[in-house]
Amino acid sequence: MNWIKKIAASLDRSLSSASLRTKLIVLTSSVSFIVVGISMAISFVVEVGTFRERLLDEYRTTAHMLASNLEAAVAFRDERDASKLIKNLELVDHVQEVRVFLADGSVLASFRSDEGGAEKSNEMFFDMPTSLVGGTFFVNEAVHVGDVVVGKVVLEVSMHEVADFIFKKIWVFIFLMAVSVLLVVPLAMLLAHMIGKPIVELAETARRITRDHDFSTRQERQRDDETGELVDAFNEMMSVIEARDEQIRSSEERFRGYFDLGIVGAGVLNTRLVWEEANVRWLEMLGCDHSDLIGHSFLEVLDFSSSQVTIDHFDIIGESGDQIKVGDYWFKCKDGSSVYVLMSMRLVPGTAHTPEHVLVLAQDITDRKVYEEEMRMARDDAEASNRAKDEFLSVISHELRTPLNPILGYVNMILSDRSEDQDPVRLNYIRQSAEHLLGLIDNLLDYSRFERNEITCTKEEVPLREVCRDVVGLLREGAMTKGLDLEYVESWEIDRDPDRVSVMTDSMRLRQVLFNVISNAIKFTDKGTVKVVSELKVGAGGMGSVRIKVVDTGIGIAEGDKERVFRPFAQIDGSMSREYAGMGLGMAISRKIVQALGGRIDFSSVIGKGSRFWIDLELEVIESSLPENNNELSDEWSLTLSVGDESILLVEDDALNRELASSLIQSSGYRVVCAKDGMEAIDLFKEETFSLIVLDVRMPRLNGFETAKIIRKLERGKKRVPIVAITAHVTNEVREKCISSGMDDYLTKPLDSHKLKVILAKWLVKDRSDDEVEYPS
């Protein structure tokens, strides 16, 4: 800054004897020229920088788009496709060279324009980061397939465009400076002539007042123009200042008392953040004396290691707006301890009597901070526990369903094609045990989802009579095995055909509740009957009152055990020797589902005589538009499936599940090609044409979602092949991931022949017929 002082001193000496008019002309012109020059220089620097950044962003965008387009070519090392893509850059000006590298550093393809600079080695290109080197810009962009980096693309671009832009701006700068000279000098001369004399006199009066501190001094008015009004305003201002000066002295005395006696810590810093004042409360918080703080830097008492802030965080001098900074920080006390303080720093502008300073207000919140940290740690521990539970349930579900899939699949295959020497009763025992275990897994997962509010109920048209009869029919065989009489009775107060009555609710959830309640009644009834009664009354507006009662002659529930019925993981008899096994989740899940459906479930019971459970729902009753249900494939469908000649790609990493699914598909008359993982499936997809792909979701190396995305990219411009996912359980998140990755449908484990035949019919029969096909539900 010494050169600025020298120039100012030289200018002062040169104009020391000049008139005010001359000084005004010279100074006004000089300031104008300097401001214009600085403004133009700043504008020049900003525009050049902006132009260069915009240019660099364009080339970064070009490199990113090129890397996205090269994903397939690099992943499959297709040199011709890669060369064709980068050849398009010869149309882009100033692109000197492009090289496409594989992950191992070898060059897959390259392009070099006629403007290319010095030859560079592949190693130099491969390791060159995105940067500006001399007059050349290098762009290094990674090529991803999913989350895996499979290669790089490197661009070398000339920056001649920036030089051309700078040359043009310099000529514009010279022209504007010339125009400024022609305008500023005449205006400065006119200004000096008009305001010279009154301003000189007013300045002299101001200097006298400043020197003598005599605020009663006034300036004599000599003109009736604006300078005269300025003199009047000056005199009026001096009158106000004179009155305010007395008020300030009085207020300062009162403020000193408030400052020292306040319950909040307060202090004053200068613009260099050095303590100038501090009240008693602030000194008490820091445990120090007045001499330990005043004259020392504010940063000396701040605990940077605990507060995790930088010095720049407190640089509020010159900030815009309210110029206030609020935060909580750790401060070091004199005895070595720390105190946590909620603090505000406000920049107070200077006045004629006080310089610019920073006002600091602080409150000790150490106790609150300690409590918040304890609560945060407890919350983090609870969230970590919940995440661990959710991850455990997800993994256990998949791992348990995977071995259950071949158990149920092969038992069903044996039962459907058994010989005389096989024992169907024992095979049925195996199947029932596996299905029971599968039901326990589903209950456990359902309850976990309800606890996290992840399950929502949808409204759809549901045939109430059909649902009730279906659930009772499914459980009748189990009741007969125990020698029980399971009956279903209807008591409907309606004026239409019951077979054509539907209600608006969630079909799957309603079936689940009925299944849980009725099977629970069968489980705890050793002799007698289990009676299911459905009641329906239709009121005004089409709303119906539905009550489904399940009455049994079982063991009953004691009065003291009634609160345990809907409690999760609770059993009426919790001893190790209890007669009725189970996890105690069925009724807990049923209550949550009924509540989600907007209804209520409750019961009454007499020990030794039986129980009566009822489910109350308020549902919209409508005229059914559903076709008659058919749970079996028709002969026509079976014939169509048996003569299929399409090839199906089956992708499954588990050998047993792969063998089972392959056998089930082949039994329907289709040719099956198996792949053990996603990478092998992609290779087979390139070599052969398939009519359908059955794809497991959880696989090593490349999961089902990533495999589906790559297949969709490979078939661009070709006929879309349906992809059916295989998953252990389907949640909303899994459904969304299946659709977003390009899959069309899904199958849940364990697989059975009926589900598989429905999927095959849905996606293969449809392709061979121009007529509308109605698929089995």
Side-chain angles (χ1 to χ4, degrees), residues 581-598:
M583 296 179 65
L585 281 177
M587 298 308 295
I589 292 173
S590 297
R591 166 172 278 187
K592 288 185 176 294
I593 293 176
V594 172
Q595 290 173 346
L597 293 174

Side-chain angles (χ1 to χ4, degrees), residues 327-442:
D328 40 359
Y329 314 96
W330 286 101
F331 282 84
K332 294 180 291 187
C333 299
K334 185 177 180 180
D335 59 2
S337 61
S338 295
V339 60
Y340 197 68
V341 172
L342 175 62
M343 182 185 69
S344 69
M345 301 178 69
R346 189 182 191 92
L347 181 64
V348 181
T351 66
H353 301 282
T354 58
E356 189 177 46
H357 61 279
V358 178
L359 176 64
V360 179
L361 298 176
Q363 181 179 1
D364 185 355
I365 57 171
T366 306
D367 293 339
R368 189 182 78 183
K369 178 64 176 178
V370 172
Y371 176 75
E372 288 177 352
E373 285 296 316
E374 293 175 350
M375 294 299 295
R376 183 188 62 79
M377 293 176 63
R379 182 199 64 197
D380 291 346
D381 290 343
E383 290 177 351
S385 176
N386 282 334
R387 286 194 300 270
K389 180 186 69 175
D390 295 343
E391 293 172 2
F392 171 77
L393 289 175
S394 177
V395 172
I396 286 298
S397 169
H398 183 270
E399 295 302 322
L400 290 178
R401 285 173 179 266
T402 297
L404 278 175
N405 187 43
I407 292 173
L408 287 172
Y410 281 118
V411 167
N412 286 328
M413 288 179 64
I414 295 171
L415 284 173
S416 63
D417 187 25
R418 63 178 182 269
S419 59
E420 295 182 358
D421 58 343
Q422 293 173 341
D423 186 352
V425 176
R426 294 182 178 179
L427 290 174
N428 275 316
Y429 287 160
I430 296 174
R431 182 177 64 180
Q432 291 171 7
S433 297
E435 289 175 346
H436 177 67
L437 179 57
L438 182 61
L440 294 179
I441 297 171
D442 288 338

Side-chain angles (χ1 to χ4, degrees), residues 653-668:
D653 63 307
D654 186 81
L656 283 175
N657 283 301
R658 187 168 61 249
E659 169 66 22
L660 171 63
S662 176
S663 300
L664 291 175
I665 295 173
Q666 288 175 349
S667 67
S668 298

Side-chain angles (χ1 to χ4, degrees), residues 16 23 64 138 159 198 302 368 484 601 609 641 684 741:
S16 60
K23 290 180 179 179
H64 180 73
F138 290 87
M159 302 304 288
L302 184 66
R368 189 182 78 183
L484 302 178
I601 182 173
K609 292 186 178 181
L641 293 173
L684 289 171
S741 62

Side-chain angles (χ1 to χ4, degrees), residues 289-308:
D289 298 328
H290 195 268
S291 59
D292 297 326
L293 194 63
I294 304 305
H296 295 270
S297 173
F298 163 80
L299 303 176
E300 292 181 12
V301 294
L302 184 66
D303 189 346
F304 282 97
S305 59
S306 299
S307 300
Q308 296 180 346

Side-chain angles (χ1 to χ4, degrees), residues 158-384:
S158 171
M159 302 304 288
H160 291 162
E161 290 180 76
V162 178
D164 295 339
F165 182 82
I166 292 174
F167 181 77
K168 293 177 183 178
K169 286 297 178 181
I170 290 176
W171 278 109
V172 173
F173 177 82
I174 294 173
F175 173 78
L176 293 176
M177 285 298 296
V179 172
S180 300
V181 171
L182 296 177
L183 293 176
V184 169
V185 173
L187 291 175
M189 295 175 64
L190 179 62
L191 179 65
H193 176 74
M194 293 176 62
I195 64 175
K197 182 179 179 181
I199 295 299
V200 170
E201 294 176 352
L202 191 61
E204 178 60 32
T205 301
R207 283 194 295 270
R208 187 170 62 255
I209 293 174
T210 302
R211 182 184 64 246
D212 301 336
H213 297 287
D214 183 5
F215 298 114
S216 62
T217 304
R218 302 292 183 268
Q219 171 68 26
E220 182 182 355
R221 178 171 179 163
Q222 296 180 351
R223 296 185 181 182
D224 294 331
D225 57 7
E226 286 79 1
T227 57
E229 294 179 1
L230 179 62
V231 170
D232 290 342
F234 176 82
N235 291 334
E236 184 178 352
M237 179 184 66
M238 294 309 302
S239 298
V240 173
I241 290 176
E242 186 178 11
R244 291 285 178 86
D245 183 59
E246 184 62 31
Q247 293 178 0
I248 288 173
R249 291 192 182 95
S250 176
S251 298
E252 186 175 348
E253 293 177 357
R254 290 197 300 271
F255 170 76
R256 174 57 58 184
Y258 301 153
F259 183 79
D260 286 334
L261 299 176
I263 62 174
V264 176
V268 175
L269 305 170
N270 61 24
T271 54
R272 293 177 286 108
L273 298 183
V274 174
W275 290 103
E276 292 186 342
E277 294 184 55
N279 70 350
V280 175
R281 177 57 185 151
W282 184 242
L283 296 175
E284 289 175 349
M285 281 194 292
L286 298 182
C288 62
D289 298 328
H290 195 268
S291 59
D292 297 326
L293 194 63
I294 304 305
H296 295 270
S297 173
F298 163 80
L299 303 176
E300 292 181 12
V301 294
L302 184 66
D303 189 346
F304 282 97
S305 59
S306 299
S307 300
Q308 296 180 346
V309 293
T310 63
I311 295 177
D312 295 336
H313 185 74
F314 299 97
D315 185 14
I316 68 170
I317 308 302
E319 289 188 355
S320 59
D322 290 339
Q323 298 173 313
I324 184 170
K325 187 177 294 295
V326 179
D328 40 359
Y329 314 96
W330 286 101
F331 282 84
K332 294 180 291 187
C333 299
K334 185 177 180 180
D335 59 2
S337 61
S338 295
V339 60
Y340 197 68
V341 172
L342 175 62
M343 182 185 69
S344 69
M345 301 178 69
R346 189 182 191 92
L347 181 64
V348 181
T351 66
H353 301 282
T354 58
E356 189 177 46
H357 61 279
V358 178
L359 176 64
V360 179
L361 298 176
Q363 181 179 1
D364 185 355
I365 57 171
T366 306
D367 293 339
R368 189 182 78 183
K369 178 64 176 178
V370 172
Y371 176 75
E372 288 177 352
E373 285 296 316
E374 293 175 350
M375 294 299 295
R376 183 188 62 79
M377 293 176 63
R379 182 199 64 197
D380 291 346
D381 290 343
E383 290 177 351

